[in-house]
Amino acid sequence: MSFKIAVMGLGNIGRFAVETLEKMPDGECIGVVRRPESLGRNAISLRNVPDFGSIQDLISAQGRPDAVLVCAPSREVPGQAEELLRAGLCTVDSFDIHARMTEVVDRLGSAALEGKAVAITAAGWDPGSDSVLRALFEAMVPSGVTFTNFGRGRSMGHSVAARAIPGVADATSITIPLGGGRHSRLVYVVPEEGACMDKIRAAIAADAYFASDPLEVREVTAAELPFVADASHGVLLERVGASGLTSNQHLNFDMRINNPALTAQILVSCARAAVRLREKEAFGSYTMIDIPPVLMLPGERMSNVARLV
């Protein structure tokens, strides 16, 4: 079966999503939805995919997509996904605000049931694939503690939050692991002309993305920013504890990745799962820990069972 996928937004993740869909063996990108004033720009990023000013314009020209990848800043995701779901369109997003997760799952679940659609939210690598590994680690070692150590690398969510601060022309936030699941944030800021860096520092420190971690904000020029805005990132997951009555079980998972490229790949794989869940009329909202991994893979179930099990 071939899936038709639409991409909403052509930022960091959206651009990689368009690339990733080129390699999807059982699907295609039928269009990108973006701001009307941006139509026709960034032809290289569009990769010969048509762009539209609204989802309605895309549907009129290309037909209904089987799923929409919502590639928007996290704070905008729930509203955009909810509207699409109520219209009967399946959505996949990489919403990453951990503290709001249950609220968003419930909100999107109501909209999905109303539209008889499927939402997969928090489909990035953390939250997302790391969430699956944390769940599996707990199943393997029920008594214990898990440490999630991010970085060193660029956090897209934190960078978007920093760029939204008044007076910031551009910014990149680097996550630095301190061990034991603790992190510090190093934010490089290009201020707008005449902006007060002290006010910018105070606003960043007060933002929910940064309020819980040690923070350093450094002023840089627009010419300097590309040299510190590395897209690499990574994570080290560690769990130590007991399986049954046996202690000293130690589990590790380590990866170093290009952040937006991996996020885009997970979105595309979860789009496949969303369409398959809808085919079963399993309407509602899901996170990755709710979904059998086999639904994310191309090919038939039993072929993948034979190959992977």
Side-chain angles (χ1 to χ4, degrees):
M1 178 179 180
S2 180
F3 307 121
K4 295 181 178 180
I5 309 297
V7 175
M8 182 170 284
L10 199 62
N12 281 331
I13 299 174
R15 290 195 295 271
F16 277 95
V18 172
E19 291 184 12
T20 303
L21 285 163
E22 287 186 8
K23 301 293 290 183
M24 188 179 185
D26 50 357
E28 62 173 327
C29 181
I30 63 171
V32 173
V33 178
R34 56 201 305 221
R35 292 187 299 271
E37 61 269 24
S38 298
L39 293 178
R41 295 167 53 189
N42 303 111
I44 294 176
S45 298
L46 285 166
R47 306 183 69 82
N48 296 317
V49 173
D51 57 348
F52 303 90
S54 69
I55 191 67
Q56 291 78 18
D57 290 345
L58 183 150
I59 291 172
S60 295
Q62 303 286 83
R64 288 175 66 85
D66 295 303
V68 180
L69 308 185
V70 182
C71 302
S74 273
R75 285 168 171 152
E76 299 175 16
V77 162
Q80 292 186 13
E82 186 175 29
E83 184 176 347
L84 294 166
L85 291 163
R86 293 193 191 281
L89 295 167
C90 294
T91 65
V92 184
D93 67 71
S94 57
F95 181 80
D96 69 349
I97 303 175
H98 293 263
R100 293 185 55 197
M101 204 57 63
T102 55
E103 166 215 332
V104 170
V105 170
D106 285 344
R107 178 178 173 182
L108 298 189
S110 297
L113 291 173
E114 180 179 324
K116 294 185 177 180
V118 169
I120 301 179
T121 190
W125 58 273
D126 203 305
S129 55
D130 285 356
S131 310
V132 176
L133 287 162
R134 283 191 289 267
L136 183 60
F137 276 15
E138 285 200 20
M140 297 164 68
V141 181
S143 300
V145 60
T146 299
F147 298 110
T148 303
N149 304 288
F150 298 115
R152 184 182 188 273
R154 182 178 70 181
S155 167
M156 291 185 294
H158 288 80
S159 297
V160 169
R163 286 194 289 270
I165 298 295
V168 174
D170 204 353
T172 290
S173 178
I174 303 298
T175 301
I176 302 171
L178 301 177
R182 297 172 297 114
H183 306 86
S184 65
R185 311 290 177 180
L186 172 58
V187 184
Y188 294 99
V189 170
V190 180
E192 294 177 351
E193 186 175 354
C196 174
M197 276 301 299
D198 287 341
K199 290 183 178 179
I200 289 172
R201 286 188 179 93
I204 292 174
D207 188 279
Y209 267 98
F210 298 95
S212 300
D213 299 315
L215 171 68
E216 180 181 355
V217 179
R218 295 183 186 176
E219 180 178 354
V220 296
T221 67
E224 292 170 332
L225 187 65
F227 294 98
V228 295
D230 185 0
S232 65
H233 212 331
V235 70
L236 171 63
L237 289 174
E238 300 177 284
R239 185 166 179 81
V240 180
S243 303
L245 299 178
T246 303
S247 59
N248 296 318
Q249 307 284 61
H250 191 178
L251 312 180
N252 277 346
F253 171 78
D254 189 8
M255 72 176 186
R256 297 291 178 264
I257 45 90
N258 177 293
N259 191 351
L262 183 62
T263 301
Q265 180 63 69
I266 293 171
L267 287 171
V268 169
S269 296
C270 285
R272 181 183 292 112
V275 176
R276 287 169 168 168
L277 287 166
R278 185 175 188 173
E279 289 173 349
K280 298 177 181 180
E281 298 187 355
F283 308 128
S285 65
Y286 300 83
T287 67
M288 289 182 69
I289 68 171
D290 299 311
I291 302 168
V294 72
L295 293 183
M296 304 176 200
L297 299 175
E300 297 299 320
R301 170 178 172 257
M302 291 309 294
S303 295
N304 285 315
V305 168
R307 183 171 61 88
L308 297 170
V309 179

